[in-house]
Amino acid sequence: MPSKKENIENLQKKLGEVLGLERAAQKAVDELIAMKLLKSDSKNEAKEIQDEASTHEEKIQEVVNAFSEDKNIKLDTAKVEESAKETEEKANKIMKTYLGENPDASEALEFLCLAEGGEVSHYEVLQAICENFDNKKALTTVKSILKEEQKHLTQCIEMAKSVVSP
Ligand SMILES: [Fe+2]
């Protein structure tokens, strides 16, 4: 079992990672639209996902603030931010590598599937970490975001399939 110190470090790192993923997801949608890889229906749906990513970012920031103000936890917001930056950069690199030279709509949507899949798994782990702390509000927030991420993943899979279906 992790110690209290380890739990706090895990929380710091994982909150930073989900923040970074949410920021990267918002930028990715802008970039894919600018590259004209998302059109009509997919474009609108991706924009909705982007809006929700922005809301998730705000909600996670509130969770970070609450844990940093908690005297028993004193979450280090600088460390969270460091982890967020690192993750955002990594996500950006992964996108560039994945899309390669001449990306098409299928690849763009499959990249979004990859990104949403990453978010789902990170929120699953974050939820497990939050179970170690007595903070109902944080746990509820993480659970509700996880549900939306699962929905995003399904949406992206459907969009990716629609490109190749009649
Ligand atoms: Fe998402």
Side-chain angles (χ1 to χ4, degrees):
M1 235 177 73
S3 67
K4 187 186 170 193
K5 186 172 168 272
E6 284 166 337
N7 279 336
I8 295 172
E9 283 168 359
N10 290 340
L11 184 65
Q12 250 156 218
K13 187 160 185 280
K14 203 57 63 188
L15 281 168
E17 287 171 3
V18 298
L19 269 181
L21 290 177
E22 295 293 3
R23 290 174 189 165
Q26 294 169 66
K27 281 192 191 154
V29 171
D30 280 338
E31 283 179 37
L32 295 175
I33 291 174
M35 292 163 86
K36 303 210 183 326
L37 290 171
L38 299 178
K39 283 173 191 143
S40 56
D41 287 355
S42 318
K43 187 170 158 182
N44 294 333
E45 227 175 312
K47 278 188 174 171
E48 278 168 35
I49 289 175
Q50 187 184 36
D51 278 348
E52 288 184 355
S54 159
T55 309
H56 294 166
E57 185 187 346
E58 282 166 32
K59 284 186 179 166
I60 291 297
Q61 197 63 62
E62 282 168 26
V63 169
V64 170
N65 295 342
F67 276 123
S68 73
E69 282 156 21
D70 185 328
K71 286 187 183 65
N72 285 314
I73 312 226
K74 287 192 197 135
L75 200 78
D76 186 340
T77 52
K79 291 231 171 85
V80 173
E81 206 43 48
E82 202 179 290
S83 158
K85 281 222 174 77
E86 197 186 312
T87 302
E88 193 182 341
E89 276 165 27
K90 275 190 203 166
N92 224 322
K93 273 189 202 153
I94 293 170
M95 177 163 124
K96 292 214 163 70
T97 306
Y98 190 89
L99 293 179
E101 290 285 301
N102 276 310
D104 59 20
S106 263
E107 285 165 326
L109 290 166
E110 278 153 4
F111 171 74
L112 288 182
C113 293
L114 187 77
E116 294 299 341
E119 290 185 309
V120 168
S121 45
H122 279 72
Y123 277 106
E124 289 274 7
V125 177
L126 178 59
Q127 180 183 321
I129 295 171
C130 283
E131 308 270 5
N132 299 320
F133 296 89
D134 186 23
N135 186 327
K136 267 214 181 97
K137 193 167 176 248
L139 189 58
T140 310
T141 303
V142 170
K143 279 185 179 171
S144 75
I145 297 178
L146 173 59
K147 274 213 184 99
E148 290 191 340
E149 296 300 359
Q150 285 162 338
K151 192 193 75 195
H152 285 177
L153 176 58
T154 310
Q155 275 178 286
C156 288
I157 293 171
E158 288 307 318
M159 285 194 274
K161 281 157 76 175
S162 75
V163 175
V164 296
S165 303

